[in-house]
Amino acid sequence: MKPAPFDYYCPRSLDEALALLAQYGDEAKVLAGGQSLVPAMNMRLARPGVIVDVNRLPEAAVIERCDGSLRVGMLARQADLERMPVALDAVPLLAQALPHVGHWQTRNRGTVCGSLAHADPSAELPLAIVVLDGAIEARSSARGTRWIAAGQFFESYFQTALQNDEIVVGASFPARREGWGYAFEEFAGRHGDFAIVAVACAVALEPNGVASEVRLGLGGVADKPHLAPLTAYCGRVLSQRDLPEIANAAVADIEPPSDLRGSARYRRALATNLAQRALTRALASARTACDGLAQ
Ligand SMILES: Cc1cc2nc3c(=O)[nH]c(=O)nc-3n(C[C@H](O)[C@H](O)[C@H](O)COP(=O)(O)OP(=O)(O)OC[C@H]3O[C@@H](n4cnc5c(N)ncnc54)[C@H](O)[C@@H]3O)c2cc1C
């Protein structure tokens, strides 16, 4: 199929791109990797009148460590991160999540920030940034730059806090910290398909083994990444025996959708199972991190 007619702009500076968005408002769409937008346009699910192709913007593909975080610029491809051991070592949850994002062909074009802006509720990178408590940098010509906490960025199915005249210019993923362990688990119909359910987990242990943070997020079970309320399990020494209870608590208030890929009941059972696996691995990796501190 072919897309509906549209006007195409290929700005050579961010200011020019922002001016185009300010001019055309909700008529315009940013084109980054095109791995979600182009299929949607070809199927006529999206019919933007104006395309602002940001692929020629200089210096927008930066990936760098700064202030305890990994900053990923708007044109950094998912595969750029995957090929950067230093970045993956800095953010282990990303290292585990990225191989689940589509196929290497789509990751070669698809951008990290494009995935965040697209806000598919089954997508891995939105889930990872919410669990890590990262932030998204948005810029407009009228209001300049603002940082939006990942927990506030995703609003509903393909809806974010981004305004029509804003571009995501970067994202910040908090780097690995002392005593933290991370795990990502996913089940999809075939490798490379969107997750039926995905779980990301980050656990922090004090040197005495007490859990100071238990963060667990679920993808594919709601209209946006769902962060489970698990603060009740902080301040305790957690053992393997506690994990089924925590996994049940993590899914207690979800109301998963039913669709061709799975019923609500199936998704809930899957979420419970994956949550328990993710908790087991994250706790084990946090313990290893703590042992490393003690030596
Ligand atoms: C076969 C296939 C399988 C896939 N499987 C998965 C999967 O398993 N998991 C997964 O997460 N994704 C999957 N994807 C989607 C892929 O990860 C996309 O790359 C990603 O969703 C969008 O990134 P993009 O750079 O391609 O954005 P685009 O397709 O260019 O844009 C997507 C949307 O985001 C907006 N946008 C993009 N960048 C910006 C920006 N900087 N500022 C403001 N708005 C912006 C666009 O206007 C558009 O509305 C798959 C895609 C394909 C084709």
Side-chain angles (χ1 to χ4, degrees):
M1 287 180 73
K2 293 196 172 92
F6 57 89
D7 290 337
Y8 174 84
Y9 293 91
C10 188
R12 301 302 167 118
S13 73
L14 183 57
D15 285 346
E16 202 189 324
L18 292 172
L20 285 162
L21 287 191
Q23 182 179 348
Y24 290 106
D26 62 4
E27 246 194 290
K29 278 271 178 210
V30 170
L31 174 71
Q35 298 303 299
S36 295
L37 182 58
V38 171
M41 287 172 68
N42 285 345
M43 288 185 276
R44 308 270 174 128
L45 296 171
R47 291 166 174 256
V50 173
I51 284 294
V52 179
D53 181 347
V54 293
N55 283 278
R56 300 282 171 85
L57 299 192
E59 295 172 6
V62 66
I63 299 175
E64 61 185 4
R65 278 289 290 265
C66 58
D67 299 334
S69 289
L70 186 74
R71 194 192 127 76
V72 180
M74 63 187 275
L75 280 182
R77 313 283 162 183
Q78 295 150 9
D80 292 339
L81 256 190
E82 218 175 353
R83 293 191 196 105
M84 228 175 157
V86 181
L88 296 183
D89 187 56
V91 190
L93 195 59
L94 271 184
Q96 295 183 44
L98 272 168
H100 293 284
V101 182
H103 310 268
W104 65 263
Q105 293 94 333
T106 63
R107 296 196 292 273
N108 268 331
R109 288 300 300 169
T111 62
V112 172
C113 291
S115 174
L116 302 178
H118 188 55
D120 188 307
S122 299
E124 292 81 4
L125 300 178
L127 179 60
I129 200 167
V130 166
V131 167
L132 291 172
D133 201 14
I136 289 102
E137 185 183 4
R139 196 170 301 171
S140 68
S141 58
R143 299 175 305 285
T145 296
R146 66 176 176 134
W147 282 93
I148 308 166
Q152 263 92 60
F153 184 73
F154 302 100
E155 294 188 334
S156 186
Y157 293 103
F158 308 107
Q159 298 289 324
T160 66
L162 212 59
Q163 301 294 311
N164 285 333
D165 62 346
E166 283 180 315
I167 291 183
V168 173
V169 292
S172 173
F173 294 84
R176 175 208 292 270
R177 282 170 279 171
E178 285 184 350
W180 283 74
Y182 306 88
F184 193 94
E185 293 282 343
E186 158 164 338
F187 185 78
R190 297 170 303 184
H191 180 75
D193 282 0
F194 275 95
I196 297 176
V197 174
V199 175
C201 184
V203 173
L205 298 182
E206 307 281 349
N208 60 5
V210 169
S212 53
E213 294 250 16
V214 182
R215 293 180 67 85
L216 187 141
L218 297 149
V221 301
D223 59 350
K224 59 184 178 182
H226 173 82
L227 190 63
L230 294 176
T231 44
Y233 296 96
C234 299
R236 290 168 44 172
V237 175
L238 301 177
S239 76
Q240 188 65 31
R241 276 200 305 270
D242 298 313
L243 302 189
E245 181 192 324
I246 305 178
N248 281 323
V251 302
D253 61 350
I254 59 169
E255 289 180 19
S258 284
D259 59 26
L260 285 176
R261 299 193 307 149
S263 65
R265 197 164 153 225
Y266 173 66
R267 279 196 162 89
R268 178 181 291 281
L270 203 50
T272 314
N273 188 297
L274 294 179
Q276 197 173 322
R277 280 195 216 173
L279 283 159
T280 303
R281 286 207 299 114
L283 189 58
S285 111
R287 284 197 184 119
T288 308
C290 273
D291 289 348
L293 281 181
Q295 282 160 18

